[in-house]
Amino acid sequence: GIQVEQSPPDLILQEGANSTLRCNFSDSVNNLQWFHQNPWGQLINLFYIPSGTKQNGRLSATTVATERYSLLYISSSQTTDSGVYFCAVVANYGQNFVFGPGTRLSVLP
Amino acid sequence: KAGVTQTPRYLIKTRGQQVTLSCSPISGHRSVSWYQQTPGQGLQFLFEYFSETQRNKGNFPGRFSGRQFSNSRSEMNVSTLELGDSALYLCASSWKTDSTGELFFGEGSRLTVL
């Protein structure tokens, strides 16, 4: 099946810094989402972005489907941005989301 | 509009028991999926239901089962619990009939097996 990799696995930032999280996938996809898992375990939708670029406040995302990767940008990070960020994809031949291993972000005050 | 609701939020069981978890999707969403999250295996797909039919199933033993009701609410059941079944079980719903729709997750049910 499709393989999903995320980098870096861990990231520690000072408040106010910017960061880029990457998601690579091994096959063509028709669906891609970015999630933030809060401390209580809920997956919060950040972006539904099978292709193109989107922005939402301090966060933006870009998916280059032809090159099989997606990027999540976090600018002016805040301590509330801490948590685990997951990329999830659905392969063109697939029917369900496959999640990457996540990037654990810690933003220090 | 209410989000995806999962009950119970936390539960503790002993080995050999069974457990039933419930999920109410966002109103109007007919697709419900279940995922298991463990520290070792990450987030893994269990199964997906659409219009009361299991449409897709992950690689889990037959002890894991589910169903969907006519109002789109879904339940999953794990029989003969094992220690390794301790996990966060997440339910998600989608309004689209195919796999291109956006998934919305509930807060999860955290199961501990002693």
Side-chain angles (χ1 to χ4, degrees), chain A residues 1 22 27 31 68 85 88 94 101-102:
Chain A
R22 187 177 180 102
D27 287 295
N31 199 338
R68 299 180 184 173
Y85 289 80

Side-chain angles (χ1 to χ4, degrees), chain B residues 13-19 63 77-85 113-114:
Chain B
K13 294 285 187 178
T14 56
R15 279 180 299 174
Q17 288 187 310
Q18 72 166 7
V19 66
R63 300 186 296 106
N77 184 276
V78 187
S79 62
T80 320
L81 285 166
E82 300 177 359
L83 295 179
D85 297 332
V113 182
L114 302 177

Side-chain angles (χ1 to χ4, degrees), chain B residues 58-74:
Chain B
N59 188 25
F60 278 81
R63 300 186 296 106
F64 292 81
S65 62
R67 59 178 175 168
Q68 187 180 34
F69 303 94
S70 58
N71 61 358
S72 294
R73 189 178 71 85
S74 177

Side-chain angles (χ1 to χ4, degrees), chain A residues 31 33 37 45 48 96-97, chain B residues 37 56 99-103:
Chain A
N31 199 338
Q33 283 186 244
Q37 189 164 39
N45 289 38
Y48 166 66
N96 58 272
F97 274 92
Chain B
Q37 186 177 26
N56 197 10
S99 61
T100 64
E102 186 174 4
L103 276 189

Side-chain angles (χ1 to χ4, degrees), chain B residues 31-92:
Chain B
S31 169
V32 174
S33 305
W34 290 88
Y35 289 80
Q36 181 198 62
Q37 186 177 26
T38 60
Q41 299 298 318
L43 277 149
Q44 293 187 290
F45 171 74
L46 280 159
F47 27 64
E48 185 226 354
Y49 286 86
F50 182 84
S51 293
E52 302 178 67
T53 300
Q54 186 180 88
R55 193 159 65 169
N56 197 10
K57 189 177 190 304
N59 188 25
F60 278 81
R63 300 186 296 106
F64 292 81
S65 62
R67 59 178 175 168
Q68 187 180 34
F69 303 94
S70 58
N71 61 358
S72 294
R73 189 178 71 85
S74 177
E75 289 180 347
M76 67 163 283
N77 184 276
V78 187
S79 62
T80 320
L81 285 166
E82 300 177 359
L83 295 179
D85 297 332
S86 294
L88 179 66
Y89 291 88
L90 291 161
C91 168

Side-chain angles (χ1 to χ4, degrees), chain A residues 31-67:
Chain A
N31 199 338
L32 189 149
Q33 283 186 244
W34 282 96
F35 297 92
H36 175 213
Q37 189 164 39
N38 67 22
W40 299 272
Q42 186 174 11
L43 289 170
I44 307 300
N45 289 38
L46 296 177
F47 293 101
Y48 166 66
I49 187 166
S51 63
T53 298
K54 291 185 177 180
Q55 179 155 10
N56 184 3
R58 296 181 297 104
L59 273 60
S60 64
T62 295
T63 297
V64 184
T66 53
E67 297 187 21

